[in-house]
Amino acid sequence: MNRATFTALTGAIAGMLATRSFAAESPESHATPHGAQRIAMLVYPGMTALDMVAPQLIFAALGNTDVQLVWKDRKTVLSDTGVPIVPTQTFDEVAPGLTVLFAPGSSYPVMNDPKVVAFMQRVGPSAEYVTSVCTGALILGAAGLLRGYRATTHWVFHDVLATLGATPVAERVVVDRNRITGAGVTAGLDFGLRMAAKLRGDDYARMLQLIFEYDPQPPFDAGSKAKAGEKIGRKVRTIFAPALASAKKEAAIARERLTL
Amino acid sequence: MNRATFTALTGAIAGMLATRSFAAESPESHATPHGAQRIAMLVYPGMTALDMVAPQLIFAALGNTDVQLVWKDRKTVLSDTGVPIVPTQTFDEVAPGLTVLFAPGSSYPVMNDPKVVAFMQRVGPSAEYVTSVCTGALILGAAGLLRGYRATTHWVFHDVLATLGATPVAERVVVDRNRITGAGVTAGLDFGLRMAAKLRGDDYARMLQLIFEYDPQPPFDAGSKAKAGEKIGRKVRTIFAPALASAKKEAAIARERLTL
């Protein structure tokens, strides 16, 4: 999708203005397009870029959306694998009444970062949809936004959701009222298409699927614990042991803070 | 994958040093880990971030890789949908002898940008693998790197590959000797796993598939022209008409330059 295609795509929708490009330096350019649906996607150091980038592509391609990457400040954040991403808006600049609030994984101290918690609690309750991919669900949960909701997260972290007052569900995308959560990392594509269908209808989502040529053909069939087998599953659990310990520690702190 | 997991993962591999994080400001931190396989991923204004971000995650998770996002300078580039990404290395800083050279889509003037062409021609011939996702293949082609090779690209652009001396093949990932090309946008995941298998073996690729929970379950089955149906296909072709015209124009210029 080049800029012209993107313009044609977004321009095609309901005759609205095409979603404009961001210019990180110029606050003027962040003016919300008239009547646009505002989508705030949390970004932070140590996040998994793919968790955010796949849904961002879909949200931006809905047309008439104002998609912002939000953080405490506009300093470049490094993803877990070293992709430097520049936030486009600070927490203070995000007004309540969002169409979508979104959190990606995968860093756990962020769950109890007072500024993150305050932001999520300020804009979460009025958001039309409160959403996440991967362990972004733990950030929602640590702000009390999943209490009493069914939700999913990366398969290694399901138990941690329960600590945060949610009911973990082993599905690719879990929809419970306006809480929509995706499983690990690559579930962002399936999550994004579900969101596209909710916000623009099934045919629009199908069109985006064809535009992004989402006709998955993984060379192996190892995308779930059951399919990957015992040996690989054990290896992954070992690799994730420190991360799981960190997430559990933060969840316990959040639980006490939230008096769950 | 948080930093600890990432470290555990990369640390687990062959006992090598974990791939370190990038610090865009500090050139010292860009020192190549001892013996690491160098991977250079082109980034540029108007690119589709997802084309690059999915393979980047996989390349970084191979461990003992030095993955750089390369451009003319280190100024932030905006993706087509407005994700601001900071390049981590300039063209001048990339020595030949790469393990992987990679190009993402989706802007066409970049095909004939003299600095891009010069860079691709300087480091392409000595790279162990010359690769792309989506219309990144057109950038490879415009540098003469696909002449006589079978290759794929986004489905709308297949004919343009032929103008650049390649043989277009309608497959998700096409491997012809050391040229490995993926189809549109989301094919980056399937491409990335194929690369992981080539560079680290099938079981390693399966492990990454489980870590990234790549068990695709798109809510619709519209990821190819045939599956999406006539009506949606026609709509997408209309949306892409200006982009296709731009790509064809640039391919004609490149063809003349390359004396194909």
Side-chain angles (χ1 to χ4, degrees), chain A residues 146-234:
Chain A
L146 292 181
R147 204 186 306 207
Y149 286 87
R150 299 165 72 249
T152 193
T153 185
H154 188 285
W155 64 272
V156 169
F157 297 85
H158 271 228
D159 291 349
V160 188
L161 274 181
T163 307
L164 297 166
T167 305
V169 179
E171 283 171 17
R172 189 82 175 151
V173 179
V174 173
V175 181
D176 183 356
R177 289 156 282 171
N178 76 336
R179 265 54 167 184
I180 307 186
T181 50
V185 194
T186 57
L189 285 167
D190 304 320
F191 159 82
L193 289 178
R194 287 289 287 273
M195 291 301 300
K198 281 206 172 280
L199 293 166
R200 297 290 183 270
D202 289 0
D203 268 0
Y204 195 88
R206 286 191 184 95
M207 185 185 74
L208 293 186
Q209 187 176 359
L210 181 59
I211 286 176
F212 304 134
E213 208 166 344
Y214 185 37
D215 185 23
Q217 294 167 39
F220 307 101
D221 190 16
S224 72
K225 238 183 336 179
K227 291 171 178 172
E230 188 60 34
K231 194 180 141 197
I232 290 174
R234 222 171 22 235

Side-chain angles (χ1 to χ4, degrees), chain B residues 223-248:
Chain B
S224 73
K225 238 183 336 179
K227 291 170 178 173
E230 188 60 33
K231 193 179 142 196
I232 290 174
R234 221 171 23 237
K235 202 166 200 168
V236 173
R237 282 197 177 278
T238 305
I239 289 169
F240 273 88
L244 183 58
S246 171
K248 280 183 173 168

Side-chain angles (χ1 to χ4, degrees), chain A residues 1-2 22 78 80 106, chain B residues 1-3 22 78 80 106:
Chain A
M1 206 165 55
N2 78 340
F22 301 98
L78 284 181
D80 53 359
S106 325
Chain B
M1 209 166 53
N2 79 340
R3 173 61 53 188
F22 299 100
L78 283 181
D80 52 359
S106 322

Side-chain angles (χ1 to χ4, degrees), chain B:
Chain B
M1 209 166 53
N2 79 340
R3 173 61 53 188
T5 309
F6 185 63
T7 305
L9 171 62
T10 56
I13 303 144
M16 303 301 297
L17 287 172
T19 300
R20 74 288 163 278
S21 65
F22 299 100
E25 286 69 37
S26 152
E28 290 73 36
S29 70
H30 286 87
T32 304
H34 182 67
Q37 292 178 301
R38 290 184 305 114
I39 297 177
M41 307 185 81
L42 183 69
V43 295
Y44 55 88
M47 67 182 279
T48 297
L50 184 54
D51 291 6
M52 177 277 285
V53 167
Q56 195 275 349
L57 179 61
I58 293 172
F59 287 145
L62 295 178
N64 197 29
T65 49
D66 174 51
V67 186
Q68 300 286 350
L69 308 180
V70 306
W71 181 232
K72 295 175 189 179
D73 53 47
R74 292 182 192 235
K75 285 184 199 139
T76 300
V77 302
L78 283 181
S79 81
D80 52 359
T81 59
V83 178
I85 293 170
V86 188
T88 60
Q89 217 170 48
T90 63
F91 290 163
D92 293 345
E93 294 172 300
V94 182
L98 292 166
T99 298
V100 182
L101 174 65
F102 172 88
S106 322
S107 179
Y108 310 102
V110 80
M111 290 163 62
N112 289 304
D113 182 311
K115 285 191 180 170
V116 173
V117 173
F119 170 69
M120 301 303 280
Q121 292 182 337
R122 181 170 66 81
V123 302
S126 64
E128 194 176 341
Y129 295 101
V130 175
T131 69
S132 63
V133 163
C134 201
T135 53
L138 305 184
I139 298 172
L140 302 183
L145 295 170
L146 291 181
R147 202 185 309 207
Y149 286 87
R150 299 165 71 250
T152 193
T153 185
H154 188 285
W155 64 271
V156 168
F157 297 85
H158 270 228
D159 291 350
V160 189
L161 274 181
T163 307
L164 298 165
T167 305
V169 179
E171 284 170 18
R172 189 80 176 153
V173 179
V174 173
V175 181
D176 183 357
R177 287 155 285 172
N178 76 336
R179 265 55 167 182
I180 307 186
T181 50
V185 194
T186 57
L189 285 167
D190 303 321
F191 159 82
L193 289 178
R194 288 288 287 272
M195 291 301 299
K198 280 206 172 279
L199 293 166
R200 297 289 183 271
D202 289 1
D203 268 359
Y204 195 88
R206 286 191 185 95
M207 184 185 74
L208 293 186
Q209 187 175 1
L210 180 58
I211 286 175
F212 304 135
E213 210 166 342
Y214 184 38
D215 185 23
Q217 293 168 38
F220 306 101
D221 190 15
S224 73
K225 238 183 336 179
K227 291 170 178 173
E230 188 60 33
K231 193 179 142 196
I232 290 174
R234 221 171 23 237
K235 202 166 200 168
V236 173
R237 282 197 177 278
T238 305
I239 289 169
F240 273 88
L244 183 58
S246 171
K248 280 183 173 168
K249 191 187 98 184
E250 298 295 342
I253 295 168
R255 190 182 168 86
E256 190 152 317
R257 177 169 44 72
L258 295 166
T259 62
L260 284 170

